[in-house]
Amino acid sequence: MGKETFSFQAEVSKLLDIVAHSLYSHKEIFLRELISNASDACDKLRYEALTKPHLTSDDSEFKITLDADKKAKTLCVTDNGIGMNRDDLMETLGTIARSGTQAFMDALSAAKKTEKKVKGDKNSDARVDLIGQFGVGFYSAFMVADKIEVTTRRAGESRAWLWVSDGRGEFSIEETSRESHGTDVTVHIKKEDKEYLDRVRIQTIVKTYSDHVGLPVILKGDGKKQEDETLNTAAAVWTRQKRDITAENYKDFYQHVSHMYDEPWLIVHNRVEGVQAYTNLLFIPSSRPFDLFQPERKSQLKLYVKRVFITDNCDELLPSYFRFVRGIVDSEDLPLNISRELLQHNPQLAKIKKALTKRLFSELKKKAEKTPEEYATFWKNFGAVMKEGLYEDFENRKALLDISRFRSTKSDGLISLNDYIAGMRDGQEAIYYITGEDAAQTTLSPQLEGFKAKAVEVLLLTDPVDEFWVSSVGSFEEKVFKSATRGGADLKDVKSENDKLDQLEGDRKKKVASVEPLIAAFKIALGEKVKDIRTSERLTDSAVCLVADDGDMDIHLERLLKQHKQLNEETPRVLELNADHSLITKLAARVTSGDGKDPIIDDAAHLLLDQARIIEGENLSDPSAFSRRLSSVMEKGFSN
Ligand code: ADP
Ligand code: MG
């Protein structure tokens, strides 16, 4: 087959343009990326060869070779891994195959938008930082190359292919020959980047970024004075003694397995002996991975069996609410030829999963107790994901509730449920919460007025997941969770902080009685629009609020379901009136003294209901009726 030329996918061209023109200060990471691809290619072949041993019969000593040629100005990275056929090449080196690279592009366009707003300068540093944060894989080599050639042959196939590009919009593919399976990536180094041809520089880069790679990375000698030398430790990090592993080693390995470029927030490295022998090296990132809330909720742990890579993203190793955990598990007992399908429902894996989950809980608990501030950062990143476990994982519910943290009306920072219980008021029986989209806004809800007056703390639950666990969990330490926006919030039994309030309580009883006729009139005016009308125990400043009746769906949950088109009809709510509010008392007086035909009462009933809806953040069902009534009431007010 002759030489054919293709255009890069538009996105790739954009990416290459950025890569080639960025002033990124850690250009040397291109070598990390190429070595990482070479090592992945060897891992893939080792796995395939488990069932097809003939694939590696001619060449089974996996290694990566670097060959720097100062005269030709080329640096060549060779592996004897799986290789690529023509289709593979088309699919991978010309498109954006990897989701990490896609995420880079997304983050980039987001960054650009804000840049324009902030500075109007499109050459700011944001894009440059992003390269470091995401690593752009193979394409990063164009930071230092004016041309790249890839010669490759897929294991088990006889034809070899040459891919060439100068990174400016096009690449070509033609048939070539290669003695055996594997890949050579030949980077033609730009003049200004000739440092990457220097042996000492290469040694340092490999030691810095790729020491953890589990197969030898060999720098070729010149055939005369210089010998070939192995640059890395060439033993998978997790197999080494903990005392021989530096923080840098862990970090490099973390960045390699996670494709994240932050620092690990927590490292959990154990060797477990016994019935199940395995090693785990797990990391919790210090920032949120971009795919945290993707609907697949895929795990990202890699499974190895006796150092042989079996699969990426093994879902059977941790519950999905731990999907932000990165790293590896290396089992000694699973059969080497286990197929990826057989991993599902495997009892040995189930045992490992149980043990790993327990281990993570105990590590997190330690962190929460010893360094609460650091733990708060963790919780802000991943709390919303962890809370999925509260309704999914009954077995670990208690452990999870123990390490859960919450915002509340009384605290600036995060509190635990035990903190909450310790601060409960005399006579308070329940753990009160309110759900909403935004903590600052939720704190202003009129439903909370009575709680504030009685100094009762209320948890502010603002993650969408909160609606789901709070109803299924029910209670903690025998205290039930109760929504502050529901009927029967039992505030009467809670002792006030001072006697004055209790005395007000007495006055209130009298007022409540005087409001009864107004309630009757409102019920006639509003009919089916409300479920009930009552005087309120929870209002101090506002005239009215809406609450869900005991047993009815929470108002915020209903809104959430409607947004997601899971629900059409509306549950009628309970309208609560503040018998202390002067507007209400005046209206009540009007009803008592009037002849029952006062048109103001009808308008007032509708306007107050609409007002309560607005405060709740709901849409008005009939905005034009609302404005008609408002105008009419104002007009009457002005003419007095
Ligand atoms: P990633 O490694 O995250 O998938 P890259 O941009 O680094 O992204 O590589 C893109 C793809 O190109 C790889 O997934 C792989 O399929 C292919 N590839 C790159 N280098 C090699 C190699 N040395 N051997 C085999 N395949 C390779
Ligand atoms: Mg890669």
Side-chain angles (χ1 to χ4, degrees):
M1 209 183 267
K3 176 163 150 180
E4 285 181 272
T5 304
F6 306 89
S7 297
F8 282 116
Q9 198 186 31
E11 294 282 274
V12 179
S13 293
K14 234 192 288 171
L15 175 69
L16 287 173
D17 191 54
I18 295 161
V19 165
H21 297 112
S22 73
L23 307 166
Y24 186 55
S25 51
H26 298 286
K27 283 182 177 184
E28 73 266 18
I29 58 123
F30 84 91
L31 193 52
R32 167 190 81 190
E33 295 298 323
L34 296 182
I35 290 174
S36 152
N37 286 349
S39 146
D40 288 349
C42 293
D43 275 351
K44 282 181 205 160
L45 181 55
R46 198 178 319 186
Y47 177 75
E48 274 202 18
L50 290 176
T51 46
K52 299 175 204 149
H54 63 274
L55 288 182
T56 50
S57 53
D58 56 339
D59 183 4
S60 62
E61 291 261 322
F62 291 110
K63 58 174 190 279
I64 299 167
T65 315
L66 308 181
D67 191 357
D69 183 337
K70 278 193 171 157
K71 248 192 235 140
K73 301 194 188 59
T74 55
L75 174 61
C76 183
V77 180
T78 296
D79 66 72
N80 52 353
I82 188 104
M84 287 175 274
N85 59 27
R86 192 174 176 284
D87 288 346
D88 294 334
L89 277 173
M90 290 293 295
E91 222 170 90
T92 52
L93 304 186
T95 60
I96 294 194
R98 171 182 139 189
S99 52
T101 310
Q102 186 56 52
F104 166 79
M105 298 299 286
D106 294 346
L108 186 74
S109 59
K112 265 199 192 148
K113 265 184 217 144
T114 47
E115 252 168 53
K116 268 195 203 126
K117 264 189 241 145
V118 179
K119 297 186 199 158
D121 164 21
K122 69 176 174 35
N123 287 323
S124 109
D125 283 338
R127 52 165 65 176
V128 172
D129 292 345
L130 287 172
I131 294 180
Q133 229 175 70
F134 289 91
V136 290
F138 173 81
Y139 301 112
S140 65
F142 282 106
M143 286 195 286
V144 299
D146 41 34
K147 182 164 93 175
I148 298 178
E149 290 164 308
V150 180
T151 305
T152 181
R153 183 173 144 193
R154 184 123 180 23
E157 299 184 13
S158 54
R159 297 167 87 181
W161 303 93
L162 172 65
W163 178 102
V164 186
S165 178
D166 61 4
R168 285 196 220 123
E170 289 183 336
F171 63 92
S172 67
I173 297 181
E174 66 194 286
E175 188 154 3
T176 183
S177 60
R178 196 180 190 278
E179 213 171 294
S180 173
H181 60 83
T183 303
D184 317 290
V185 178
T186 307
V187 183
H188 292 258
I189 300 283
K190 285 183 196 166
K191 221 203 257 138
E192 64 266 33
D193 294 309
K194 61 177 193 301
E195 61 186 282
Y196 301 111
L197 298 168
D198 184 63
R199 292 182 74 84
V200 179
R201 184 83 170 99
I202 294 172
Q203 282 163 352
T204 319
I205 299 172
V206 173
K207 207 61 193 159
T208 309
Y209 295 103
S210 308
D211 193 44
H212 59 81
V213 170
L215 51 159
V217 179
I218 299 161
L219 180 59
K220 268 194 130 167
D222 59 4
K224 292 174 242 151
K225 272 187 281 163
Q226 281 151 346
E227 307 265 306
D228 290 0
E229 54 182 320
T230 302
L231 302 183
N232 62 333
T233 310
V237 185
W238 66 88
T239 61
R240 287 155 56 190
Q241 292 296 324
K242 272 196 195 180
R243 59 168 181 275
D244 299 333
I245 309 174
T246 63
E248 273 301 297
N249 292 152
Y250 275 128
K251 184 179 127 190
D252 295 334
F253 181 67
Y254 160 73
Q255 298 190 334
H256 166 76
V257 282
S258 65
H259 284 304
M260 306 247 321
Y261 297 96
D262 56 353
E263 303 274 331
W265 179 78
L266 181 71
I267 302 173
V268 185
H269 185 188
N270 309 88
R271 190 161 302 156
V272 178
E273 316 278 345
V275 196
Q276 286 291 321
Y278 63 89
T279 302
N280 62 264
L281 175 50
L282 308 182
F283 302 94
I284 294 181
S286 51
S287 58
R288 280 183 167 190
F290 68 91
D291 56 358
L292 198 54
F293 291 103
Q294 279 175 1
E296 301 84 44
R297 309 199 299 152
K298 269 232 155 276
S299 155
Q300 305 277 343
L301 285 190
K302 290 182 202 279
L303 176 68
Y304 286 73
V305 174
K306 300 189 189 75
R307 257 75 54 215
V308 177
F309 169 76
I310 305 293
T311 180
D312 279 326
N313 50 54
C314 181
D315 274 331
E316 316 298 315
L317 287 171
L318 278 178
S320 70
Y321 58 85
F322 272 126
R323 62 186 171 277
F324 52 84
V325 177
R326 303 290 136 118
I328 64 95
V329 173
D330 187 353
S331 159
E332 298 296 327
D333 313 300
L334 286 170
L336 249 178
N337 59 358
I338 189 161
S339 75
R340 285 174 193 152
E341 292 70 44
L342 274 181
L343 291 174
Q344 281 167 17
H345 314 297
N346 178 298
Q348 282 168 294
L349 277 185
K351 281 198 191 110
I352 297 180
K353 177 177 180 175
K354 207 169 160 166
L356 290 178
T357 308
K358 209 170 136 202
R359 166 100 51 192
L360 280 173
F361 273 121
S362 83
E363 293 291 329
L364 285 172
K365 198 170 166 171
K366 261 191 250 161
K367 274 278 201 189
E369 280 159 12
K370 283 193 192 140
T371 51
E373 269 162 41
E374 276 181 39
Y375 187 77
T377 321
F378 159 79
W379 192 258
K380 279 178 195 143
N381 280 332
F382 302 116
V385 180
M386 294 288 290
K387 283 186 281 187
E388 290 168 12
L390 290 173
Y391 58 83
E392 280 180 351
D393 186 357
F394 188 77
E395 211 183 310
N396 291 301
R397 182 179 277 177
K398 175 72 172 65
L400 195 41
L401 284 170
D402 276 333
I403 61 164
S404 290
R405 294 293 178 268
F406 303 90
R407 281 195 274 204
S408 89
T409 47
K410 274 197 178 172
S411 157
D412 290 335
L414 296 175
I415 61 161
S416 68
L417 289 174
N418 284 315
D419 296 338
Y420 182 94
I421 290 178
M424 275 168 64
R425 309 277 310 152
D426 280 350
Q428 180 186 350
E429 292 299 328
I431 300 173
Y432 289 108
Y433 67 88
I434 184 165
T435 54
E437 265 108 87
D438 172 86
Q441 205 184 325
T442 309
T443 347
L444 302 175
S445 302
Q447 286 101 335
L448 294 185
E449 290 169 3
F451 292 86
K452 275 180 211 148
K454 290 208 163 173
V456 172
E457 187 164 28
V458 178
L459 300 178
L460 302 169
L461 306 183
T462 51
D463 291 315
V465 61
D466 290 325
E467 291 287 0
F468 300 98
W469 69 261
V470 79
S471 51
S472 76
V473 167
S475 65
F476 176 76
E477 303 285 6
E478 287 161 26
K479 309 271 186 270
V480 291
F481 286 97
K482 226 169 194 185
S483 166
T485 66
R486 268 173 191 282
D490 304 336
L491 279 181
K492 353 182 219 326
D493 301 334
V494 179
K495 291 252 168 358
S496 302
E497 267 188 328
N498 52 43
D499 300 339
K500 222 172 119 211
L501 272 171
D502 279 332
Q503 198 193 324
L504 280 177
E505 198 71 22
D507 295 350
R508 173 172 255 177
K509 288 218 175 78
K510 273 180 243 148
K511 284 182 184 153
V512 165
S514 69
V515 170
E516 289 303 329
L518 178 67
I519 290 180
F522 271 18
K523 279 184 181 165
I524 295 168
L526 295 175
E528 301 274 281
K529 292 195 175 99
V530 289
K531 185 163 182 186
D532 198 5
I533 303 177
R534 296 175 197 153
T535 51
S536 180
E537 280 170 40
R538 73 193 93 213
L539 293 175
T540 59
D541 301 331
S542 305
V544 288
C545 72
L546 281 177
V547 299
D549 206 3
D550 256 345
D552 280 353
M553 191 183 288
D554 212 68
I555 298 180
H556 178 247
L557 174 61
E558 183 178 292
R559 188 154 65 237
L560 214 66
L561 292 177
K562 271 197 228 142
Q563 276 164 8
H564 290 88
K565 309 250 181 300
Q566 306 265 0
L567 190 77
N568 285 320
E569 78 268 28
E570 228 161 82
T571 328
R573 298 299 172 196
V574 175
L575 181 67
E576 288 195 350
L577 306 184
N578 180 356
D580 264 337
H581 198 280
S582 64
L583 174 62
I584 301 296
T585 47
K586 276 182 193 153
L587 284 167
R590 251 183 116 110
V591 172
T592 323
S593 63
D595 57 2
K597 283 189 203 122
D598 188 350
I600 284 220
I601 296 302
D602 188 70
D603 283 343
H606 284 94
L607 282 172
L608 284 171
L609 175 61
D610 282 346
Q611 182 185 321
R613 282 195 180 125
I614 292 171
I615 298 170
E616 250 343 285
E618 312 240 309
N619 289 329
L620 296 182
S621 51
D622 188 352
S624 66
F626 170 76
S627 29
R628 196 166 7 92
R629 288 200 176 94
L630 187 59
S631 306
S632 141
V633 167
M634 279 197 286
E635 207 185 316
K636 282 182 194 125
F638 295 147
S639 62
N640 276 344

